[in-house]
Amino acid sequence: MNATPCPANPALTLKQGQTRDFDEQATLLQGWNQRYAQLSPGRFRGAILELLFDDIHLFMESTSHALYQSGKLGEGAIAVGIPLRATGHGLFCGAVLAGGAAPVFSGRDGFEFYSPDQLTMGGMVASRASLAEWLPDQLLDELEGVAHLKKASPQILAEAGRFLHTVFDLCRRSPGLQQSAAFRRRMRDSVYACMADVLTDRVDPERGLSAGRRATVVRQARDYIDAAGDGQVGIEDLCRELKISRRTLQYCFQEALGMNPVAFIRARRLNQVRHLLKEVDSVTEAATALGFWHFGHFAQEYRKLFGELPSDTMRRHHRL
């Protein structure tokens, strides 16, 4: 097993390993206390890729043969499994693992998993304490000590799989990124948001989401964006603050306003810039105050929304 610690932060570690023994494979995942037994015939091959930092553990595990797996996580940890590839169905804690479901591991009672041949399972592990900022208290209580299959839409599971592939590709190709505190912070928030998406997703998110609830989400998002004042609010920040998934956020804005939340955030920031242009001495000062650093792109977005360049707004106001 090879470990590649980030020079600037030894707590962030990228690990890769390959085995030809299922017992050895069972010991590779850190903190899972697993045991494997091989069920289908043939010579076993396995591989694992892990990223560990702060309270987060990301992994992609590949196994060549059907296995009986048992184990448990440590107290206070919650894990979401993302099936990435398999040749058949598995059985997780008594439920059939097929399309549209994700294994959720947590608590003291452990899990049992009859895995299929040629399985690649992705995983995201974080502490309950960190996820408390992203998930409703009731859901956290329901997760405590229970391993189960969580139904989720294929779209959400596919997005989670793409996210894992992107993170590992970035860390392998550009190890220098791991030294950036900003990169680690954004990646940490993205992991929590991705886990929240899977854990809170409903196959039919429209059902039970009233017009009043959609309007409340939009109002709370607007208030949070305006209170921040510096233009640095992102989608993950809104999801964490409102304790909803990105899919629910998207649905609320699309249904209530006919626009996606990214466009709404951009419009609010541009409106804040427009107000600032009446108070400051330069376009640059107003743009950077709201986090616009690419001035050419900023000017295009401003003109697209208001029909004039920011310099035109400033000139007209200062002539008054």
Side-chain angles (χ1 to χ4, degrees):
M1 186 126 179
N2 301 317
T4 309
C6 171
N9 182 0
L12 196 157
T13 307
L14 182 66
K15 296 181 178 180
Q16 302 178 69
Q18 294 185 343
T19 71
R20 293 185 178 275
D21 182 277
F22 59 85
D23 285 326
E24 183 181 343
Q25 179 78 20
T27 66
L28 291 185
L29 273 178
Q30 181 170 303
W32 283 71
N33 303 307
Q34 295 187 114
R35 291 186 177 183
Y36 288 176
Q38 184 169 322
L39 301 178
S40 60
R43 181 170 295 180
F44 177 85
R45 297 180 306 281
I48 197 163
L49 188 60
E50 293 181 283
L51 185 67
L52 303 99
F53 67 106
D54 298 337
D55 69 327
I56 289 172
H57 178 193
L58 304 181
F59 66 86
M60 288 195 293
E61 180 184 21
S62 298
T63 50
S64 60
H65 288 68
L67 301 171
Y68 169 73
Q69 306 180 19
S70 62
K72 66 177 181 177
L73 283 172
E75 289 289 332
I78 296 173
V80 174
I82 307 296
L84 302 174
R85 179 178 65 99
T87 58
H89 298 328
L91 190 66
F92 183 78
C93 295
V96 175
L97 175 61
V104 177
F105 311 79
S106 65
R108 56 192 172 275
D109 293 336
F111 65 89
E112 287 189 332
F113 182 26
Y114 292 88
S115 66
D117 287 327
Q118 302 299 326
L119 174 68
T120 299
M121 177 70 76
M124 297 175 282
V125 187
S127 69
R128 175 193 166 107
S130 294
L131 289 172
E133 294 188 45
W134 296 84
L135 297 173
D137 292 339
Q138 181 181 352
L139 177 56
L140 283 170
D141 291 340
E142 291 172 358
L143 292 172
E144 188 68 26
V146 179
H148 66 286
L149 278 183
K150 170 68 175 68
K151 291 185 178 180
S153 68
Q155 177 187 355
I156 287 292
L157 295 178
E159 288 175 359
R162 285 193 293 270
F163 170 71
L164 283 172
H165 280 293
T166 298
V167 167
F168 280 112
D169 286 345
L170 275 173
C171 289
R172 283 185 295 186
R173 291 198 315 250
S174 305
L177 281 176
Q178 299 171 26
Q179 301 178 44
S180 165
F183 170 76
R184 293 196 300 273
R185 178 178 62 82
R186 297 305 297 179
M187 185 166 68
R188 182 171 59 246
D189 282 352
S190 294
V191 171
Y192 297 148
C194 190
M195 292 181 71
D197 279 351
V198 176
L199 291 170
T200 61
D201 184 49
R202 290 177 293 175
V203 176
D204 272 319
E206 296 84 358
R207 292 183 181 176
L209 207 58
S210 67
R213 172 58 178 154
R214 297 195 295 268
T216 297
V217 167
V218 171
R219 176 180 55 77
Q220 291 175 335
R222 179 206 64 208
D223 291 346
Y224 183 72
I225 294 165
D226 291 349
D230 58 2
Q232 300 305 307
V233 173
I235 296 300
E236 288 89 354
D237 301 308
L238 286 177
C239 292
R240 180 177 59 235
E241 176 68 17
L242 303 182
K243 293 191 174 181
I244 59 176
S245 71
R246 283 176 289 184
R247 187 177 182 184
T248 298
L249 185 71
Q250 172 84 17
Y251 171 73
C252 288
F253 271 86
Q254 203 67 49
E255 289 297 306
L257 299 181
M259 64 192 306
N260 65 54
V262 173
F264 181 82
I265 292 172
R266 182 170 60 247
R268 296 297 291 185
R269 291 171 65 200
L270 288 168
N271 274 275
Q272 289 172 308
V273 171
R274 189 174 178 84
H275 289 301
L276 269 182
L277 286 171
K278 302 174 183 180
E279 303 172 2
V280 300
D281 297 325
S282 71
V283 172
T284 299
E285 183 179 351
T288 54
L290 272 299
F292 290 104
W293 302 101
H294 191 296
F295 299 126
H297 182 67
F298 157 68
Q300 292 174 8
E301 293 290 339
Y302 188 95
R303 180 164 59 181
K304 182 178 178 181
L305 184 61
F306 300 118
E308 64 180 11
L309 290 169
S311 55
D312 297 331
T313 303
M314 174 165 275
R315 252 192 317 270
R316 187 178 64 257
H317 175 75
H318 284 279
R319 281 203 305 267
L320 298 177

